[in-house]
Every structure is written in structure tokens, then in C-alpha cells.
Amino acid sequence: MIFNKMTVTNLGNFAGTHVLRLRQTDAKAIKPIVLFGGLNGAGKTTIFDAIKLCLYGPEMFGAISTAKYQEYLRQKIHCSKITVIQPNHASIAVEFDYAHLGTVCTYHVERMWEISGQKIIETLSMEKNGLPLDDIEKDGWQDFIKEIIPLGLSQLFFFDGEKIQKMMSDDSNEELKRSILSLLGLDLVERLQADLKIYRNKFLKEVSTESFGRDISVLEGQKELVEADIHKVLDDKASLENSIQQLSVRITDYRNKIAAQGEGYYRNRVNLEEKKNSLENDIEAIREKLRELAAGLLPISIAATYAQKLRRQVENENKYKANTLLSEGFRNKYHDIMSLIDSSGFLKTQMLNSSTLKKIKAQLKVEIAMLFAVETEQAGQPEIFGFSQKQTLELLKLIDDALNVIPSEITVITDMYEVKFRELQDTVTQLSKVPDDEFIQPMYETLDGLNIELGGLTEKRAALDAQVVELTNIRREQERKIRQINHKIETSYELDEKLQSVLKVERVLFRYHLHLAKQKIFGLQEEFTNIFKVVHRKDDMISRIKIDPETFNVTLYDRKDKVINKNSLSSGELEIYAMSMLWALAKTSGQKLPFIVDTPLARLDSKHRDNLVELFFPHASHQMMIFSTNTEVDQQYFNRLRPHVAHAYNLEYCEESKSTVVKEGYFWN
């Protein structure tokens, strides 16, 4: 399948009719990309949604009431801000080629709606190869479109980042499973199995006794009612999911609004106030310590020069006093020795005559005088303080502490004071940002109300889930009873050739379906792993995947073969995972469907963007429509994509006409 062109008339920001060519004109060139560029609000999403709206109408929304759908269509009609007469109708037309059984046909689908009083009149028209589609009843046109492009497949190939991430990360998504079955061709086998089962049950009812037939009819009637109930509950759940999603967005927006008003500071107000009080107490304790130092040795430490002079004076006085006491003792001892020498009995002996003794005494006096010589000339040292030895030692100790200990201590204390003071200033600044209770409390009350409402919706969803489980169990029980009756009929009735053939085919189909599913899934697993490793910048993040052939649940494994929780993936990684899975599905299925990608690079880093621009966009499909801003596919990326671009459009909102103008080329081309 390939889209040829698209025409929109009076749609959203688009006034009048705009024709967008989507197919490359050069048949020899391989240019799969159609690039739509535009700033936010220019109309990219309008074009993106328009294709789905044209093909599926209200079914693109899942469960939606007629009133809401008509209001949606009313809002989509262009409202001119510069003209008096307003348009009362809008339309979308899509032309595409589709190959079926080797024959390529061109289909033209147009959906038009107009205002008629208080209602919206919607019209769907279809053409095949330029002629009205007469071989299908008009009431069946919508079903025919869904056969060509199943709605589930459109959810995959119409790539909206947020929606596709949610679908891929939710293994319970039935739509995803049906889409995978359809892509891999397994839905045809399931349909054949269902048709055979219908034929078998119909035959058995015809040949069974009245009692058996009545029992089967009753059970099948009950089963149909239960299935209708299941579908209704699932529709209610889908509608509820939309409400939950919208409410979650409102809660997120409101939380951001509260956060912008200083909600973080408000929540942390008590801690900030406690921190402020603690810091003030710490600072006061530091100040008290400084006051103690100021009342003690700090002044001496500050007047270091005078303290050193004082120390020298005290030391000199102490030294002078010590020397004075020492000299006095020496003099007394000297006089005692001299008196001893002068005594008549000193060295009195017959061996020495008086003359010799006299000489000896004289010599001894000279020698002793030299030994006891004391510095008599002391520098004139005036005594100012006259401290005792104990007082001198205490004073010198205080001066030493003041000059050596106090400076380092005061440095530590002042540094601590500065740290605490700056921290206090920061805390006071944060407290100044705390909003008043009167201002923020009503916002909290509103948020609480929204959360209560969300809790109520979540409880309803849980109740619906429980209801689905209960109804599913009832359906299983009814199917079991039908099988029991069929088995009784089969054993009690001699089977004819047709019924026996049906039973054999059913058994063969069951084995074939399981074998084919395993084969297709094995190929899908291999394709995905290879693609993901090429596209994702972390080579060792996902080593392999495993897909259950019965439930189609996907499990991711890392290099150590440990299970990776999909919820642990970032939004960018989820987008890469989803794109890789879609590309792998397309390659495995062999179905050629266009990719239509809205804002593809917003959540990705530069490395992932490079990989997608070089590997995914040019090669993932035969037709790739990309809707982007100038910051996603910028000039650098556009130049790299240019060789693969068939058409480029710039959607530019014109302030004069108050509408969007479609120009050929991209922002810079």
C-alpha cells in the first residue's frame, strides 16, 4: 500500500482546499520520505490525525459518543477570523494504491461533513480506479477500509510516540496482540478455525436430538449475551481509560502549576524552619566562643608585636635577676676561699719556707680570682614588672598560647561561622519563597479533589477488570458445557464423512497455527534483536527478546540474561524499542504499509537521533511520512535526509489570514 495524495478542505487551520502530493514522481529513485515541517500550532497534528479520521471516522477514537464525535467534527471546521461568512463544511480525501491478489488498484476515500442546523451531516464516499465502488454496498465501505488497513495496524504504523510507547509497554493490550496476529498472517488461520467451528456446531445441532439441540442453542445464546457484555465492559473500560488519561494529564499540569508557585519550598517548610533555628543556635554558640576568646587571650593575639616585646622584657628581667643572684653567691664563696688562703694555718709546713708559701698563696689567689671571675659589667636593665619566677612562667605560657594557639583556633571558628552564616542566608532565602497558606492551600484542595476523582476512576477500572474476568470465566464455562454436549453427540452419533473431515482439519489447523506462530515469532525475535542493536546506542542493553507464541507477551533480556522491566526504560528508550518492534514486524510480515511518524525525535538524545535519521527513516518502509518541528529535523538532519526525500512541505501559520499556508520545501529549502 502507498498513499498517492491527500486533500483537505476547511480543516482546522487550513482555509480552502490544499492538495498534498505524497508519492515520489521519479520512479527510478528510491525516495520514501515525505517531510512535513511546521512550528507548534501550525497544523502538523491536524494533517497526521486527518488521515486516520478520513479512513476510520469515529472508530479512530475507540469508544466515543455520537454527540462528542459530532462536536469534534464541528470543531475541525475552519473558523475564519478575517471573514464574516464562515465555512459550514470540511472534508478530507485520501488516494492510495493497494495490491490485492497481484492486482494493484487505486482507491479514493473522501469523508465530508457539514453543519445542518444543530447537527453534523457526515458523508463517506469511495472510488476504485476512478469509478464508484459499486461491487461493495455503501454500508460496507467502512468495513472494507478496515479490511485493507485494520484499525489495530493503524495504531502501529501511525506512530504517535506517547501512544505507541504505552501500547508496546502494556502486555495486556489486546489491540496490539490482534495487530501482531494480523501482521504475521496468523489471524487468517484463526478465522478459518472459527469458521470450521461454526460449521461443526451447526452440523451437530442439525443431527442431534431435540434436547441436545435446544441445550446447545440456549448455551450459545447465553454465550453471545456474555460476549456482548464483555465487549460493552471493554468499551466502557476504553472510555474510562481515556478519562483517566485526561485526568492524569490535568493532575500533572496542576502539579507543575503548584510546583511553579513554590510547592517544593512549601512542603519543606517545616524542615527549613528547623534548619534555620538549628543554624541560628550554632551561630550563637560560635559567637559565644568568640566572646570568650575576646575576653581572654584574643586581644594579646591581635597585638602580637606588643606581646613579643612584653615577652622579651619579662625574659630579660628574669635573666637579669637570675644572674644577679648567681653573682652574689659566687662573691661570697670567693671571699671565703680568699680568707682561707690568707689564714696562718693554710699550707703551713716545714717543707715550705715563708717566702715560697707567700708566692704559692699569691699564685693561688690569682688563679682562684680568674676562676671566680664574674661578669661585672651588666647591661643596664631597668626592672619594670618585678615578677616572681612563678609569675614569669605563667605569663610566658599565656603569651605563647596567644601567639601560637589562638590564631589557629580563631581561624577554625571564623571559617565555621562563615559556613554556617552562608547556609543560614540560603535557608532564609528558601523560606522567603514559601507561599502563604491562604494562597497555596486552595490549590492543594483542588489537587486533592482531582486525585480523589482519579482514585474513583481507578476503582471503577479495577471493577471493570474484575467484571471482565468474571464474564470470561462464565464464557469459558459455557464453552466447556457446549464442548461436553458436542462430545456426547459425536460419541453417540456415527459421524459422517463431512464432519470427520472437519474434525481432522481442525486438529491439523491447531498444530499448523502453533507451528506457524513459533516460526513467525522466531523470525520476529531475530529481526527485532538485530534492529534494536543497530538503532540503540547502548549495545548491551537488550541482548534478546522472547515472545510467548500463545499470549504474544514480550519479555526483554539483558546481556546477563536477566529480565528487563519495561517500566524501567526511559521515554526515549521506549520509543526506540517501539520503532524497532514495528520495523521488525514489517520485515517479518512482508506487508508493505507506510509509516506515519509524529514528532519522532523529541524524546531522544543526539546519538539516537543520528541513528534514526541514518538508519530508520530512509529504510524502514517504502513510504515514510514525518511530521517534525525545525528543532527535531533541523538543517543538519534535513541535509542528511534530503537524498531520500520525495516531497517536503512547510506548514506556516500566516498572521494576516489567520490560517496555515502550505509551501513546497522545508524550512530552509
Side-chain angles (χ1 to χ4, degrees), residues 69-170:
Y69 177 61
Q70 290 204 349
E71 181 60 28
Y72 174 82
L73 293 180
R74 187 189 301 273
Q75 294 296 326
K76 283 297 176 181
I77 299 176
H78 177 70
C79 180
S80 176
K81 298 179 181 178
I82 60 173
T83 61
V84 177
I85 300 177
Q86 298 294 326
N88 71 335
H89 72 281
S91 66
I92 309 166
V94 175
E95 180 184 291
F96 59 89
D97 287 353
Y98 180 75
H100 181 64
L101 299 177
T103 303
V104 178
C105 297
T106 299
Y107 293 91
H108 181 88
V109 181
E110 183 175 14
R111 190 177 299 272
M112 190 272 287
W113 61 96
E114 61 180 339
I115 300 174
S116 177
Q118 298 298 319
K119 294 184 178 181
I120 298 291
I121 306 299
E122 183 184 37
T123 304
L124 176 67
S125 63
M126 283 193 69
E127 293 181 358
K128 178 180 178 181
N129 296 328
L131 299 174
L133 186 63
D134 294 332
D135 51 346
I136 298 176
E137 291 293 332
K138 190 174 182 179
D139 292 341
W141 286 352
Q142 187 64 74
D143 292 333
F144 176 71
I145 294 173
K146 288 192 294 182
E147 284 184 12
I148 296 175
I149 316 174
L151 184 58
L153 293 188
S154 75
Q155 294 187 26
L156 297 178
F157 289 93
F158 287 73
F159 192 99
D160 180 305
E162 290 185 3
K163 292 181 181 179
I164 206 72
Q165 287 172 33
K166 183 178 180 182
M167 181 185 292
M168 287 295 182
S169 61
D170 183 9

Side-chain angles (χ1 to χ4, degrees), residues 254-269 433-449:
Y254 209 79
R255 280 177 177 165
N256 293 336
K257 181 181 177 182
I258 295 177
Q261 300 298 329
E263 183 257 356
Y265 297 109
Y266 183 82
R267 285 187 177 277
N268 202 31
R269 179 181 59 180
K433 298 178 181 178
V434 175
D436 295 334
D437 286 338
E438 295 180 358
F439 174 74
I440 202 167
Q441 197 59 39
M443 301 179 73
Y444 271 121
E445 291 174 359
T446 301
L447 182 61
D448 290 341

Side-chain angles (χ1 to χ4, degrees), residues 233 237 240 244 453-467:
V233 173
K237 182 184 175 183
L240 192 62
I244 289 174
E453 185 179 353
L454 179 63
L457 293 179
T458 305
E459 288 180 1
K460 288 181 180 178
R461 181 176 61 185
L464 291 176
D465 287 336
Q467 199 172 347

Side-chain angles (χ1 to χ4, degrees), residues 63-64 68 234-244:
I64 186 173
K68 286 185 177 180
L234 290 176
D235 288 342
D236 292 343
K237 182 184 175 183
S239 177
L240 192 62
E241 287 285 1
N242 290 333
S243 300
I244 289 174

Side-chain angles (χ1 to χ4, degrees), residues 250-293:
R250 285 182 60 196
I251 290 174
T252 300
D253 291 342
Y254 209 79
R255 280 177 177 165
N256 293 336
K257 181 181 177 182
I258 295 177
Q261 300 298 329
E263 183 257 356
Y265 297 109
Y266 183 82
R267 285 187 177 277
N268 202 31
R269 179 181 59 180
V270 175
N271 293 334
L272 289 173
E273 288 176 347
E274 291 178 353
K275 184 178 181 181
K276 176 176 173 287
N277 293 333
S278 176
L279 289 170
E280 287 175 344
N281 292 334
D282 292 343
I283 289 173
E284 182 57 34
I286 294 173
R287 287 174 175 168
E288 182 62 29
K289 181 65 176 176
L290 288 173
R291 284 192 287 267
E292 290 177 4
L293 291 175

